[in-house]
Amino acid sequence: MVRIEILAGPESGRVVELGPGTHSVGRAAGNDLRLEVDAVSGRHLELTVAADGTVRFRDLGSTNGTFSAGVRVEEGEWFPGSELRLGSVPLRLVAEDVVADADARARRAEALSGGRRGGPALAVLALLLVAGAGAAWWFLGRGGGEDAAERSGVDPQGAPVAEAWDPLADSAEWRLAGGVAFGDGALEVEAGGGAAALTRTFDVEGGGVSLRLEGTLPAAVARVAFGADDEAAQPWGRWAFRVRPGAAATLALPEGARWFRVSLALDGPGRLTGLVVEPAEAAAERLSTPVGAAATTGANLALFGLDRAPLLVLGSADPGAWTPSEGELTFDGAADFELRLGPKLHDAAIRWVFADGGPLDLAPGVAVDDTPGLLLGDEGMQLLFRTRGASHLRAGAEAAELRVEEGLTLRWDLSEDRLEAARLARDLEAASRAGDDARILELATRLLRDYPLDEEKIQTAQAAMRDTLARGRAALAALEDDVSGALFLGSVDELERLARAARGLARRFGATPLGAEAEALAAALDEAAGRQREAARVREAAYRARVLALLRRHYPMIASWALAQGEGADG
């Protein structure tokens, strides 16, 4: 059993006993030693107590750090009688002889008070001590504490203070990609730009994150991954915002996020010479929907289910905002989104990307230009994205990239879409009974591309399209057989008739490949008929010339009369 004494803060003077094992220290509920002070991270420190009383510590990537003798430390052994400072709160590992002396003093005090624990005078004294300690904590820890100590180089206990964390002091703090290199305490960025990600994880304090960049870079986009699991392994998603060198920028995160990590997309050429990452007081806008709560900051959107688990997260640094209306959220304008699905939607039976010919599964590697939408969920709850204007979607292993040119709508009320799908299915059935091929293809194409909301209607439309195209293919093959005979005979009238039939087939099958083939055949038949017509004219003219020549030689008067008749006819 070891004892830890809290030396500052609202619980100054409290002694906590910890047995052998691993214990967590931090501000959040659920820690073995909870310190409700803003300067302490949610999960700040891990302590391991051995059976022989040896204590080892490990900083858990805290924001304000862990200090020993004024030096920031990551891990090591905590010796009895020494102190560790978590942010602005110092803790002392009480030595055994101090514990024994404290017990002896307590027994003497109890004896002097006649065995009474706490009389009126002792209660007043305790109240004054607590009040004094609280005032000292407020002044040192909140009113001027850590910041003032950093400026003066001395902490509230008089020990030297380590300099503030500088992310550009050590290349080990970074993961670099593209045209980015580390050197001389700066990031060098080539003309093509690149990416840089900080390796450490920060606690969310105040609801947001503030970044300040210094250097000669044209601009940067910061992407902030965030989540709530204690291991900081699986992010809910990433939100993004633009940061201009020389000015601080703040991003509010969704309520419930407990940690964040930062990566930067850097435009070049230039140098990043300074970076400050700090928690910030900020609040994302909250919206209530029938499927759960939504949070937005600019173009960024996170949607949570009724169980408060994330359903999906959209991140974009582009300007704009989400606007709520009945049954949907709407974003107007162009944007590049990163879409990450929560576990419920990631494992859902339906994850369809709308495309020509029917939906595709949202699987890694799938890419669709000008997709009309995206359907996610199961029978109990479905969400529908609708794109406006040109778009492009590409699915990756963990997230999908979705670029829209004119806007994006997220719907949870699909009643109007389902009504339109039902109308298209009804009209398709009527067109099939009437044998109207052009109408069948028009309706099936629209249903499969824009309203593929259930398997039954998808299969019906695909079967109708398949059967109709099979009929068209057979009709085109029959035309091609007739063309061979017409070309052999050289019949202009037959070639023109077949050209009219091919052009009608092209109209029936519209923009399908079959329609294009029929249109090409009609053009070829028109050309063949023209050649046959010209050949016939040439043959007729040659025949007339031969006849006239014979008449001139043997019957000149008749030749003159025939020539005059021909000129009169021409006139």
Side-chain angles (χ1 to χ4, degrees):
M1 185 73 68
V2 297
R3 294 187 181 186
I4 298 171
E5 183 180 5
I6 303 172
L7 301 178
E11 295 187 273
S12 178
R14 175 187 168 205
V15 175
V16 179
E17 294 184 344
L18 298 177
T22 301
H23 309 277
S24 60
V25 184
R27 189 184 71 253
N31 284 292
D32 301 302
L33 173 50
R34 187 179 184 189
L35 303 171
E36 297 187 73
V37 178
D38 289 344
V40 176
S41 296
R43 280 174 53 85
H44 195 114
L45 192 72
E46 182 180 86
L47 297 175
T48 302
V49 180
D52 62 359
T54 302
V55 181
R56 294 193 63 82
F57 66 88
R58 181 170 67 89
D59 187 276
L60 299 176
S62 63
T63 301
N64 294 318
T66 300
F67 297 85
S68 176
V71 177
R72 186 163 185 161
V73 291
E74 298 294 332
E75 60 181 326
E77 184 175 348
W78 191 5
F79 297 99
S82 66
E83 296 179 11
L84 290 178
R85 178 162 61 85
L86 282 59
S88 62
V89 179
L91 306 176
R92 179 188 293 119
L93 181 59
V94 181
E96 288 300 323
D97 56 348
V98 175
V99 173
D101 290 345
D103 289 342
R105 287 196 300 271
R107 286 193 296 272
R108 285 196 298 271
E110 184 178 353
L112 289 171
S113 64
R116 298 188 303 273
R117 292 188 178 272
L122 185 58
V124 173
L125 178 61
L127 181 61
L128 291 173
L129 287 173
V130 170
W137 169 79
W138 178 262
F139 176 76
L140 295 175
R142 295 292 296 272
E146 189 163 351
D147 291 340
E150 297 269 356
R151 289 192 296 270
S152 66
V154 177
D155 74 1
Q157 287 71 45
V161 175
E163 295 183 0
W165 173 62
D166 180 4
L168 291 168
D170 185 358
S171 61
E173 299 282 1
W174 295 92
R175 294 192 306 273
L176 307 179
V180 182
F182 190 89
D184 298 329
L187 295 184
E188 305 282 349
V189 185
E190 296 178 358
L198 282 169
T199 58
R200 69 172 55 195
T201 299
F202 303 85
D203 286 341
V204 175
E205 298 178 0
V209 53
S210 173
L211 295 184
R212 182 181 180 89
L213 277 63
E214 300 293 344
T216 59
L217 297 171
V221 170
R223 293 186 172 87
V224 180
F226 54 89
D229 59 298
D230 291 339
E231 292 77 18
Q234 283 297 327
W236 289 344
R238 294 198 304 177
W239 278 5
F241 63 124
R242 295 191 180 275
V243 185
R244 300 289 179 184
T250 298
L251 175 71
L253 297 175
E255 183 180 348
R258 295 178 56 186
W259 57 265
F260 67 86
R261 289 192 294 267
V262 176
S263 61
L264 301 171
L266 303 168
D267 293 341
R271 302 178 78 236
L272 178 64
T273 58
L275 172 64
V276 177
V277 182
E278 296 178 317
E281 293 290 336
E285 183 178 359
R286 286 177 53 85
L287 304 171
S288 179
T289 77
V291 297
T296 67
T297 298
N300 301 292
L301 168 69
L303 181 63
F304 299 87
L306 298 176
D307 58 357
R308 300 187 178 181
L311 293 173
L312 58 87
V313 175
L314 279 168
S316 175
D318 290 297
W322 289 88
T323 303
S325 58
E326 186 175 356
E328 63 186 29
L329 293 170
T330 301
F331 179 87
D332 293 321
D336 286 303
F337 291 103
E338 179 185 273
L339 169 63
R340 187 184 295 261
L341 304 182
K344 185 174 182 178
L345 291 181
H346 186 273
D347 299 332
I350 295 177
R351 297 187 307 160
W352 292 344
V353 183
F354 294 177
D356 291 332
L360 305 173
D361 286 332
L362 184 66
V366 167
V368 180
D369 286 323
D370 296 329
T371 174
L374 180 64
L375 183 65
L376 306 165
D378 292 307
E379 291 298 327
M381 186 272 294
Q382 290 185 336
L383 299 171
L384 174 63
F385 281 105
R386 287 287 188 193
T387 62
R388 296 194 298 281
S391 65
H392 177 76
L393 182 141
R394 181 177 180 84
E398 296 183 353
E401 299 172 1
L402 176 60
R403 182 173 66 249
V404 297
E405 295 296 331
E406 297 180 18
L408 183 66
T409 298
L410 172 60
R411 294 180 183 167
W412 51 86
D413 182 358
L414 275 60
S415 55
E416 291 187 7
D417 298 272
R418 295 191 186 285
L419 283 174
E420 180 63 15
R423 186 190 70 78
L424 289 170
R426 183 191 64 232
D427 292 348
L428 177 60
E429 183 180 355
S432 297
R433 288 197 301 268
D436 187 343
D437 291 339
R439 183 65 170 158
I440 290 171
L441 292 175
E442 174 194 349
L443 294 168
T445 297
R446 189 171 178 217
L447 193 153
L448 289 171
R449 174 178 167 81
D450 298 325
Y451 295 93
L453 303 182
D454 65 69
E455 287 279 6
E456 183 178 352
K457 290 184 178 63
I458 292 172
Q459 292 175 3
T460 299
Q462 288 176 334
M465 179 174 283
R466 185 170 56 249
D467 293 344
T468 302
L469 290 175
R471 288 197 301 273
R473 182 64 62 188
L476 182 61
L479 269 179
E480 290 170 344
D481 289 340
D482 292 343
V483 166
S484 299
L487 289 173
F488 177 77
L489 296 173
S491 171
V492 174
D493 291 341
E494 183 65 9
L495 290 173
E496 290 178 341
R497 183 189 70 80
L498 292 174
R500 290 193 296 272
R503 197 162 285 111
L505 195 62
R507 287 193 295 272
R508 282 170 57 192
F509 291 92
T512 67
L514 178 60
E517 290 182 43
E519 186 63 43
L521 178 60
L525 288 168
D526 285 340
E527 184 179 354
R531 287 198 304 269
Q532 292 286 0
R533 196 178 295 108
E534 178 63 20
R537 188 189 66 78
V538 170
R539 286 195 304 271
E540 182 179 354
Y543 173 75
R544 289 183 60 193
R546 288 196 303 272
V547 170
L548 285 173
L550 288 172
L551 289 174
R552 285 192 186 99
R553 189 163 52 245
H554 299 289
Y555 305 100
M557 294 183 63
I558 295 176
S560 297
W561 177 84
L563 184 61
Q565 292 297 318
E567 289 177 352
D570 292 340

